[in-house]
């Protein structure tokens, strides 16, 4: 005599998305949601070579309508840049990206980062990200990684490297079987295709660096950065997706 297999546990419903608007009050408030995806349509991904550039760069981005700023840990100046922005540009929501280790999690939190972004994740890194008390976006590039994070109660994540991993076609294919997951696609996205990503139902924002071109930063052309940021911020208007 064979026994019937146990009934599968019902799949949990995703929590409601954070309230809309530019104010940071709902930031990171809902279980499983980072809140980062709702701060602005575009998340600037910034590489800072000289910490002295951090404050004017952040002010230009904020003035252009992009309050959330991801400073990547790719240069020795990165943590000093996070500290400077956190201390001198309170209207910015500064985060740290390319976070790879628990040690970096602690350093970024101590520097004043308000959110954390990783290109991928492990259980060890995920535990450190959670333990920081900060909102975070762990990176994924496959359906299995998305499912694994959903099992762990994480609903918002970074899709990286977006273009190389399948771009809008891949994200669109995930929306049917995995509607709970929301993404910030990053990697190879520019002004020419950002709107195509933003039009997808499972994309909350996109990450990119086209509004901080290296030549403008090197020339300290903050007016140019502000102009590009303002154009990027307008991508949040559905009428601009055509």
């Amino acid at each position: 005599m064979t026994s019937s297999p146990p009934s599968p546990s019902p799949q949990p419903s995703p929590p409601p998305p954070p309230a809309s608007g530019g104010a940071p009050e709902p930031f990171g408030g809902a279980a499983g949601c980072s809140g980062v995806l709702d701060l602005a349509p575009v998340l600037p991904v910034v590489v800072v070579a000289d910490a002295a550039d951090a404050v004017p760069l952040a002010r230009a981005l904020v003035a252009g309508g992009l309050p959330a700023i991801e400073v990547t840990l790719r240069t020795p100046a990165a943590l000093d840049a996070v500290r400077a922005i956190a201390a001198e540009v309170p209207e910015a929501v500064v985060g740290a990206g390319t976070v790879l280790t628990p040690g970096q999690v602690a350093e970024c939190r101590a520097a004043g980062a308000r959110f954390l972004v990783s290109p991928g994740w492990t259980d060890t890194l995920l535990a450190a990200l959670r333990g920081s008390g900060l909102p975070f976006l762990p990176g994924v590039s496959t359906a299995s990684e998305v499912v694994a994070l959903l099992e762990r109660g994480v609903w918002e994540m970074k899709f990286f490297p977006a273009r190389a991993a399948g771009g809008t076609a891949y994200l669109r294919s995930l929306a049917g079987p995995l509607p709970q997951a929301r993404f910030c696609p990053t990697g190879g996205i520019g002004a020419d295709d950002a709107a195509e990503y933003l039009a997808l139902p499972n994309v909350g924002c996109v990450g990119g660096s086209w509004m901080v071109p290296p030549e403008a930063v090197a020339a300290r052309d903050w007016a140019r950065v502000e102009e590009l940021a303002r154009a990027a911020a307008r991508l949040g208007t559905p009428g601009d997706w055509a």
Side-chain angles (χ1 to χ4, degrees):
M1 180 176 178
T2 59
S3 58
S4 300
S7 300
S9 301
Q11 191 171 28
S13 299
S20 60
E25 285 77 13
F27 183 49
C33 292
S34 70
V36 178
L37 273 61
D38 298 284
L39 288 170
V42 176
L43 176 63
V45 179
V46 177
V47 179
V48 179
D50 185 346
D53 293 334
V55 168
L57 176 59
R59 286 176 175 157
L61 291 170
V62 170
L66 301 180
I69 303 168
E70 176 190 337
V71 177
T72 63
L73 301 185
R74 300 181 189 178
T75 69
L79 286 174
D80 286 337
V82 171
R83 289 189 192 94
I85 296 171
E88 300 184 44
V89 194
E91 61 272 33
V93 181
V94 62
T98 323
V99 177
L100 303 176
T101 68
Q104 289 178 329
V105 169
E107 290 174 340
C108 293
R109 188 179 188 280
R114 293 182 58 190
F115 65 91
L116 304 171
V117 183
S118 63
W121 66 278
T122 64
D123 281 320
T124 298
L125 180 57
L126 188 64
L129 292 169
R130 276 196 161 124
S132 72
L134 298 175
F136 59 89
L137 291 175
V140 297
S141 61
T142 69
S144 293
E145 291 170 326
V146 175
V147 171
L149 282 178
L150 291 176
E151 285 182 349
R152 289 159 174 78
V154 178
W155 308 96
E156 295 188 349
M157 48 201 84
K158 171 179 178 173
F159 180 63
F160 175 84
R163 180 172 289 183
T168 56
Y170 192 89
L171 283 170
R172 190 179 295 109
S173 72
L174 293 179
L178 301 171
Q180 308 95 322
R182 297 178 70 219
F183 301 96
C184 173
T186 305
I189 298 174
D192 58 335
D193 60 353
E196 184 180 353
Y197 283 90
L198 287 168
L200 297 176
N202 53 353
V203 169
C205 70
V206 300
S209 57
W210 72 89
M211 73 296 299
V212 284
E215 64 275 12
V217 176
R220 293 178 167 81
D221 188 352
W222 310 128
R224 175 63 174 157
V225 171
E226 181 178 341
E227 176 188 359
L228 292 170
R230 185 168 289 108
R234 286 197 297 269
L235 293 173
T237 304
D240 292 339
W241 294 347

